[in-house]
Amino acid sequence: MIKISQACLGVEEREAIDRVFADGYLGMGKEVMLFETELKAFIGNDVEIACVNTGTSALHLATQACGIGPGDEVIIPSLTYVASFQAVSATGATPIACDVDLSTGFMDVEDAARKITPRTKALMPVHYAGGFGDLAGVYELAKRHNLRVIEDAAHSFSGYYQGQRVGATGDIICFSFDSIKNITCGEGGAVVTKDKKINAKIKDLRLLGVEKDSDKRYSGQRSWDFDVTEQGWRYHMSNINAAIGRAQLKKIDRFAATRRQLLTEYDRLLDTKNIEQFQIDRNITDPHMFPVKVNPDKRDSLKAYLQEHSIETGFHYKPNHLLTKYSQKNCPNAETLWGQMLTLPLHCNLKNSDVEFITKTIAEFFEKG
Ligand SMILES: *Cc1c(COP(=O)(O)O)cnc(C)c1O
């Protein structure tokens, strides 16, 4: 089976785990501190970084740290993993679904503007498939209405936005390092911001709200006499996960080059009559996944045909406004895409010969009618 996505792991990750075993402390400590330092060097020296246990936790803590809670609203594009919606509703705030641009899958800024109310506190754009769409428009809208911007950058780690690594600019940027993202920690996430208060708050909230416990943990100690002022969570990253992430970060440029090269191969071979691509700038993204658009009458049978030929595909994503918990109206583009979308395999273990086989099998399907 050709998997739709997969982590790219080697002996370096295994050695990193062994190092933590030899040290003997698997929880949050020195490895996490070093991973945060290395991420900072990678992204930009004027940002602050807090690593957490998942990308969902990163979004949840970012939202809470902005003081967002019951009675508040956060606008999120409907076309995202349910994690973005769950992270917001976890604070007691209401996620408001907005529509997406058909060509990019990115937040439709005009629709987001229509959905702003006096209760709106933040916009949460999603870097769908690694693209940045009209992110500049999102920031302009946020500025006009005095809103925070929490970027769900789960798909775009190591990409470039406005000439800098994603995360180097912007308000609050959340990454995921789950087992299929651009780099993995096994499970993990990070919140990146230049706002020192937000960073300090997240560092407390990830350790059950225990004030200033992070610095103690980095030096192998912990707080015994402390204060807690608000609800926190057990969301810190472990040394094991950080060690895997550190090994992955060293390989990121090679991973990105491989993913871009595979997409160039798809471009060369893909049946352009029947397959439409999203408009995502390959020169600046580190592409996380490869969703395409197919005639909705053919989509499900194409998926089944590929499955018969041992090619795994998927749908990214079921629009959240169609889920019972988040049921809302008026996201027509997200619904159109839901009928057309098909995600083709993309990961660093894929070979050009796999892309050749996938594109040939797709062409065969359409020739047979
Ligand atoms: C993966 C993902 C998340 C959540 O990250 P986890 O680390 O899996 O919790 C959030 N948003 C999007 C768009 C994602 O793809």
Side-chain angles (χ1 to χ4, degrees):
M1 181 62 82
I2 299 180
K3 301 290 289 177
I4 183 172
S5 55
Q6 203 169 52
C8 200
L9 302 169
V11 66
E12 296 80 5
E13 286 77 5
R14 192 61 86 78
E15 283 167 3
I17 294 170
D18 286 346
R19 182 177 71 233
V20 178
F21 266 67
D23 173 71
Y25 185 64
L26 311 190
M28 177 173 157
K30 196 178 76 184
E31 292 285 338
V32 177
M33 183 190 74
L34 291 171
F35 187 40
E36 286 175 349
T37 306
E38 288 159 11
L39 283 170
K40 193 171 155 119
F42 181 75
I43 292 169
N45 279 317
D46 56 345
V47 299
E48 305 292 334
I49 303 207
C51 283
V52 289
N53 59 342
T54 67
T56 309
S57 309
L59 293 164
H60 178 188
L61 294 189
T63 308
Q64 183 178 342
C66 290
I68 294 169
D72 298 331
E73 294 176 353
V74 176
I75 299 177
I76 316 177
S78 189
L79 195 67
T80 181
Y81 190 42
V82 67
S84 327
F85 277 67
Q86 286 268 315
V88 169
S89 58
T91 67
T94 305
I96 301 295
C98 83
D99 211 355
V100 294
D101 184 285
L102 276 176
S103 62
T104 60
F106 191 85
M107 176 181 254
D108 176 339
V109 179
E110 277 176 29
D111 193 51
R114 278 193 289 275
K115 285 172 176 164
I116 289 175
T117 74
R119 290 179 297 282
T120 309
K121 291 289 166 0
L123 306 176
M124 186 180 281
V126 177
H127 302 174
Y128 182 74
F132 303 110
D134 186 16
L135 185 54
V138 171
Y139 274 95
E140 279 165 30
L141 180 64
K143 199 168 174 195
R144 279 206 300 282
H145 294 270
N146 198 22
L147 306 174
R148 301 294 308 226
V149 178
I150 302 166
E151 298 180 39
D152 180 339
H155 293 181
S156 63
F157 183 77
S158 109
Y160 288 89
Y161 178 67
Q162 293 182 338
Q164 288 174 280
R165 288 279 186 194
V166 57
T169 63
D171 189 7
I172 306 174
I173 299 88
C174 296
F175 292 109
S176 162
F177 305 129
D178 80 18
S179 60
I180 55 154
K181 292 296 176 13
N182 283 357
I183 60 167
T184 185
C185 290
E187 297 288 352
V191 184
V192 179
T193 183
K194 287 180 189 154
D195 186 330
K196 290 193 160 60
K197 279 202 191 121
I198 292 282
N199 173 262
K201 185 152 229 188
I202 287 171
K203 282 184 162 168
D204 291 349
L205 292 176
R206 69 180 171 179
L207 288 164
L208 296 171
V210 175
E211 288 188 345
K212 301 193 173 62
D213 202 22
S214 283
D215 290 338
K216 289 248 169 58
R217 302 248 173 187
Y218 292 152
S219 56
Q221 301 168 313
R222 58 188 291 187
S223 307
W224 299 105
D225 178 6
F226 54 79
D227 196 16
V228 169
T229 56
E230 75 174 286
Q231 178 66 54
W233 311 90
R234 195 82 174 140
Y235 278 177
H236 59 277
M237 180 177 272
S238 77
N239 274 346
I240 288 274
N241 295 110
I244 297 171
R246 292 179 66 203
Q248 289 264 297
L249 185 59
K250 291 200 179 79
K251 305 177 181 179
I252 184 65
D253 288 332
R254 184 152 56 78
F255 288 167
T258 303
R259 283 188 282 259
R260 285 200 196 98
Q261 189 277 328
L262 288 164
L263 285 185
T264 306
E265 197 66 2
Y266 266 118
D267 283 343
R268 194 169 72 78
L269 299 169
L270 204 56
D271 169 3
T272 50
K273 271 205 316 291
N274 294 297
I275 304 285
E276 190 190 339
Q277 294 198 28
F278 283 90
Q279 280 168 29
I280 291 169
D281 185 349
R282 295 281 172 67
N283 298 314
I284 59 171
T285 56
D286 176 353
H288 159 62
M289 63 178 188
F290 187 42
V292 297
K293 295 179 245 178
V294 186
N295 178 338
D297 298 335
K298 298 273 175 68
R299 198 270 310 264
D300 290 344
S301 46
L302 173 59
K303 185 176 199 303
Y305 189 80
L306 293 172
Q307 185 72 28
E308 277 166 34
H309 290 80
S310 301
I311 300 164
E312 187 186 40
T313 58
F315 305 143
H316 291 91
Y317 295 94
K318 177 150 188 185
N320 284 268
H321 75 283
L322 302 179
L323 304 176
T324 303
K325 180 167 169 62
Y326 301 117
S327 177
Q328 286 161 47
K329 294 196 175 66
N330 298 330
C331 298
N333 290 350
E335 287 179 36
T336 299
L337 289 173
W338 173 230
Q340 300 176 334
M341 62 175 69
L342 188 68
T343 303
L344 301 177
L346 180 68
H347 55 78
C348 289
N349 299 323
L350 212 61
K351 307 223 160 20
N352 282 351
S353 56
D354 295 321
V355 173
E356 216 172 292
F357 175 67
I358 294 162
T359 51
K360 200 182 78 190
T361 310
I362 292 171
E364 231 170 61
F365 169 83
F366 284 106
E367 275 159 27
K368 286 185 181 162

